[in-house]
Amino acid sequence: MPLKPDQILRFLKSVHPYDVLPETLLANLSGQIDVWNLATNSVVYDLGDTLRGLFLIYDGAVEVRDENGELISQLGLRNSFGERGLMLDGVAVTSARTSEDTLLLVLPPAVFHDLLATQQSVSLFFNRAPKKQARGNELATTRAETLMTKDPLTCRPADSAQLAAREMRDNRVSSLCVTDEDETLVGIVTIRNLSGKVLAEGLDPGTPVRNIMTGNPVTLPTSAIGSDLLHLMMERKIGHVPIVDGGRLAGIVTQTDLTTFQAISSAELVGEISRCADAEEISKVTARIPALLVQLVAGGSRHEIVTRLITDIADTATRRLLSLAESKLGPAPVPYLWLACGSQGRQEQTGVSDQDNCLFLSDEVSDEDRSGYFADLARMVSDGLNTCGYVYCPGDMMATNPRWCQPLRVWRSYYERWIAKPDPEAQMLSSVMFDLRPIGGDTSLFEELQETTLKAASENSIFVAHMISNSLKHMPPLNLLRGLATIRSGEHKNALDLKLNGVVPIVDLARIYALRGQIGSVNTRARLEEARQTGQLSQSGAGDLLDAYDLIAETRLEHQSNLIKQGQAPDNFLRPSSLSDFERSHLRDAFVVVKTMQSAAGHGRGMLS
């Protein structure tokens, strides 16, 4: 049955960057989109074809291949493709074919180019999103310290060739760095040395490493970039480059390291997850998210792109777990909708994420189905997410809690009660539940409720006032003289909490603007941009707050990336002493902006001028 414009409209509202477009523009857009219903193994376009438009997957899956026929992307629900050719000369630079029965939305070229020219969110998304052809550039400009394996295995010059071979075999590596007593690098021994000099020439296995190693190997500093490594390997025809810092061995980069770096992309992780058979398989894919974060940060991707791509992986894992649960439990007895809140709901996940979710059920659901089928479904998905690294919510804001697995009529009563009587618990719950975003299921269960709830909230000045008061509980880390105020005691003494005292105050402010202006977006940056467009924030006030948010959020991601590169788990606690005076000054200025905006909100003033 063909899709109707209202179905297309609902779908576009769930896909970025269309979710932040004005309602009237979206409605007009939904009427201009073509719908292609393609069977498995159908050609969408071939290399060199004139593109019929920008393609958006409504249902199904598509494989995209390069000019050599190599698979470069496996795309699924909500993925776009074809933009590269459209943004060049309108000719396809890849080929695309369906891998299962697929429903495509096709945005005509003229409409796509008009959106690029007139809508900032569309321009930012398609011009800044990482693309496959840019991957080589990311590698070429990434520092060696990001690419290298730290603390590489070493041996001494006097060690035997046999001992070196055993070390390589047991640790599954292809080289050992050779160091003397003061840990100075004197050589490198590789599998090629062992085969070419020991085996080929029939040397005694007890031959010292010094007799077969490559002495005084060419090295690079940690400040070298990927292009230095690539050029050196190609020119010298070598596969291993030791990295030396201050005369000391700091790490090693191999061809495998470079290949691994290039192999990681959010699209590839999403594609792999969509084919996983259980939570354990999915967990092996999500375990690569820290490496993806490091790569994206090293490649210069903006924070809102990094967090959106990381969240896309969580969304895919959730939908896959829902599908696996339905395969085991059977079809759902009534329509349902799984929603995420918290950082996943806002599409702002970093390297540290727990799970926050809930279930909306059709009003036709029986008590037996709610406590039976849907309780089982919630448990299976929540347990699976925990297995995948999205740990259980400490506050039990999960669909496994019967309170958050309810028919639509109960959810409606929740919001009505919170707005009518905004006591402290209602304020806390509203702060979470106004950031809901549909992940899997029937989105119609949420759309009307969101619209009516935002309208009721914006019209209740007492509720908004309480929400403003609640938002001021998280303050930027500034002392009385507006210098940086660190945590005074405990495990994170002398550190800044870049989450609770950094991004959360801005998240809270953006939510207030969304309530006041009935803004449907839940992403923080999208809320701030729309608040500027609708006049809630002045151009200067919005500009300052967006700049502050960008600096704090990017500092947080840089901190997490640095921890991951050091082999540590990412967290949100940054010691100011690790920053330069310049960096500390700018971070303090960003916190001052947030504090000023909070003060304006607390006194009932907007930032209009």
Side-chain angles (χ1 to χ4, degrees):
M1 189 169 66
L3 291 177
K4 298 178 180 177
D6 62 323
Q7 292 176 294
I8 296 174
L9 177 61
R10 284 199 300 271
F11 182 74
L12 291 178
K13 288 180 179 179
S14 72
V15 183
H16 192 73
Y18 313 103
D19 58 347
V20 297
L21 297 180
E23 181 78 22
T24 53
L25 177 59
L26 263 187
N28 182 53
L29 190 62
S30 63
Q32 301 180 66
I33 287 178
D34 294 326
V35 180
W36 291 10
N37 197 338
L38 302 177
T40 303
N41 205 31
S42 295
V43 173
V44 182
Y45 58 75
D46 281 322
L47 180 72
D49 285 354
T50 298
L51 290 165
R52 302 278 296 278
L54 177 74
F55 299 92
L56 178 61
I57 301 177
Y58 187 95
D59 189 28
V62 171
E63 292 184 347
V64 178
R65 297 181 182 272
D66 64 14
E67 63 272 18
N68 299 313
E70 294 294 323
L71 181 66
I72 58 175
S73 295
Q74 292 180 309
L75 307 176
L77 178 70
R78 293 184 175 85
N79 286 150
S80 296
F81 61 100
E83 71 273 12
R84 284 176 54 195
L86 286 174
M87 294 172 72
L88 292 172
D89 55 7
V91 174
V93 295
T94 57
S95 61
R97 184 181 294 268
T98 61
S99 54
E100 58 184 71
D101 290 351
T102 299
L103 206 57
L104 293 176
L105 304 185
V106 187
L107 192 64
V111 178
F112 174 65
H113 286 296
D114 183 62
L115 288 175
L116 278 179
T118 61
Q119 301 300 316
Q120 183 184 32
S121 60
V122 176
S123 177
L124 286 173
F125 182 80
F126 286 106
N127 285 319
R128 290 179 178 171
K131 298 177 176 63
K132 196 71 180 183
Q133 72 271 27
R135 298 294 295 279
N137 293 333
E138 288 180 10
L139 174 62
T141 57
T142 299
R143 286 169 60 101
E145 63 181 351
T146 297
L147 300 166
M148 71 184 187
T149 299
K150 294 178 174 62
D151 301 320
L153 292 172
T154 62
C155 65
R156 300 298 188 201
D159 289 343
S160 70
Q162 184 176 47
L163 178 62
R166 285 175 177 168
E167 281 289 298
M168 289 188 220
R169 179 199 64 189
D170 294 346
N171 291 281
R172 297 183 179 180
V173 296
S174 57
S175 66
L176 295 177
C177 291
V178 186
T179 57
D180 60 16
E181 287 72 16
D182 64 358
E183 302 303 325
T184 299
L185 180 71
V186 297
I188 184 171
V189 59
T190 68
I191 289 177
R192 181 181 295 180
N193 295 132
L194 293 172
S195 62
K197 293 185 178 180
V198 179
L199 287 177
E201 297 180 11
L203 297 182
D204 190 309
T207 299
V209 166
R210 68 167 64 89
N211 294 351
I212 63 169
M213 72 182 187
T214 300
N216 299 313
V218 61
T219 66
L220 286 174
T222 54
S223 59
I225 58 177
S227 59
D228 299 328
L229 289 156
L230 287 167
H231 295 163
L232 185 59
M233 287 181 176
M234 294 176 69
E235 180 182 352
R236 300 293 185 91
K237 295 181 174 60
I238 56 177
H240 307 76
V241 179
I243 306 299
V244 175
D245 202 9
R248 297 281 181 170
L249 180 66
I252 190 168
V253 177
T254 69
Q255 289 180 342
T256 301
D257 293 325
L258 300 185
T259 301
T260 300
F261 182 89
Q262 288 181 297
I264 301 173
S265 79
S266 61
E268 284 154 357
L269 299 190
V270 163
E272 290 183 36
I273 289 172
S274 68
R275 298 186 298 274
C276 287
D278 53 39
E280 286 70 26
E281 283 191 17
I282 299 174
S283 70
K284 295 176 182 177
V285 182
T286 55
R288 289 149 57 193
I289 290 176
L292 174 65
L293 186 149
V294 170
Q295 176 176 314
L296 292 170
V297 172
S301 298
R302 288 177 57 88
H303 71 92
E304 69 266 27
I305 298 297
V306 177
T307 55
R308 187 178 298 278
L309 293 176
I310 290 175
T311 305
D312 284 347
I313 297 169
D315 290 354
T316 304
T318 305
R319 285 190 286 268
R320 183 58 182 156
L321 289 167
L322 283 167
S323 177
L324 292 171
E326 285 192 27
S327 296
K328 186 171 183 178
L329 298 173
V334 297
Y336 73 88
L337 179 63
W338 184 282
L339 304 98
C341 44
S343 60
Q344 185 184 0
R346 296 189 303 273
Q347 295 179 297
E348 293 165 5
Q349 286 189 312
T350 66
V352 186
S353 297
D354 59 5
Q355 56 174 292
D356 300 279
N357 45 61
C358 62
L359 270 171
F360 280 21
L361 309 177
S362 166
D363 282 337
E364 282 72 44
V365 67
S366 65
D367 290 341
E368 181 181 357
D369 285 334
R370 189 174 69 84
S371 60
Y373 181 96
F374 289 108
D376 291 340
L377 179 115
R379 176 182 49 77
M380 293 173 68
V381 175
S382 188
D383 287 351
L385 288 171
N386 185 68
T387 298
C388 296
Y390 305 101
V391 298
Y392 299 120
C393 173
D396 203 20
M397 302 289 291
M398 298 184 297
T400 49
N401 183 339
R403 188 179 186 186
W404 311 126
C405 177
Q406 292 287 348
L408 184 58
R409 63 177 180 276
V410 174
W411 280 103
R412 187 174 287 107
S413 70
Y414 283 167
Y415 281 101
E416 290 172 352
R417 185 165 68 250
W418 294 336
I419 294 170
K421 187 180 179 182
D423 57 28
E425 184 191 39
Q427 296 169 36
M428 182 274 292
L429 293 175
S430 295
S431 295
V432 176
M433 295 303 180
F434 273 95
D435 290 353
L436 286 179
R437 182 172 61 88
I439 303 297
D442 186 347
T443 58
S444 66
L445 291 172
F446 177 67
E447 290 161 356
E448 182 185 354
L449 176 63
Q450 182 190 38
E451 183 178 342
T452 57
T453 298
L454 280 173
K455 186 175 186 298
S458 68
E459 293 174 350
N460 189 319
S461 59
I462 295 176
F463 174 75
V464 173
H466 278 282
M467 289 298 292
I468 291 173
S469 176
N470 184 69
S471 73
L472 301 181
K473 292 177 180 178
H474 296 113
M475 305 296 287
L478 297 169
N479 56 31
L480 291 176
L481 299 178
R482 294 205 165 185
L484 294 176
T486 59
I487 298 171
R488 294 185 178 182
S489 61
E491 178 184 358
H492 303 295
K493 183 179 179 181
N494 298 325
L496 302 171
D497 188 335
L498 292 178
K499 179 183 178 182
L500 288 182
N501 303 116
V503 297
V504 167
I506 306 172
V507 168
D508 289 342
L509 279 173
R511 187 182 301 110
I512 297 302
Y513 302 138
L515 289 175
R516 283 175 167 173
Q518 300 183 43
I519 296 171
S521 301
V522 294
N523 176 263
T524 298
R525 206 174 199 288
R527 281 171 164 172
L528 295 176
E529 289 175 344
E530 195 163 340
R532 174 167 58 183
Q533 293 169 7
T534 57
Q536 290 190 73
L537 288 171
S538 68
Q539 290 296 317
S540 60
D544 287 345
L545 187 54
L546 283 165
D547 287 344
Y549 179 48
D550 290 343
L551 178 62
I552 296 168
E554 286 172 7
T555 300
R556 181 189 183 198
L557 285 179
E558 285 278 1
H559 167 67
Q560 293 188 4
S561 176
N562 288 335
L563 289 177
I564 294 167
K565 287 189 289 186
Q566 295 165 21
Q568 302 178 39
D571 64 29
N572 296 300
F573 301 99
L574 172 71
R575 294 183 180 276
S577 57
S578 67
L579 303 175
S580 68
D581 289 343
F582 180 83
E583 290 169 327
R584 283 198 297 272
S585 176
H586 278 274
L587 189 59
R588 183 196 67 83
D589 290 345
F591 289 139
V592 169
V593 168
V594 179
K595 177 69 174 176
T596 301
M597 299 293 280
Q598 284 185 322
S599 178
H603 287 86
R605 302 192 308 272
M607 292 301 292
L608 295 172
S609 58

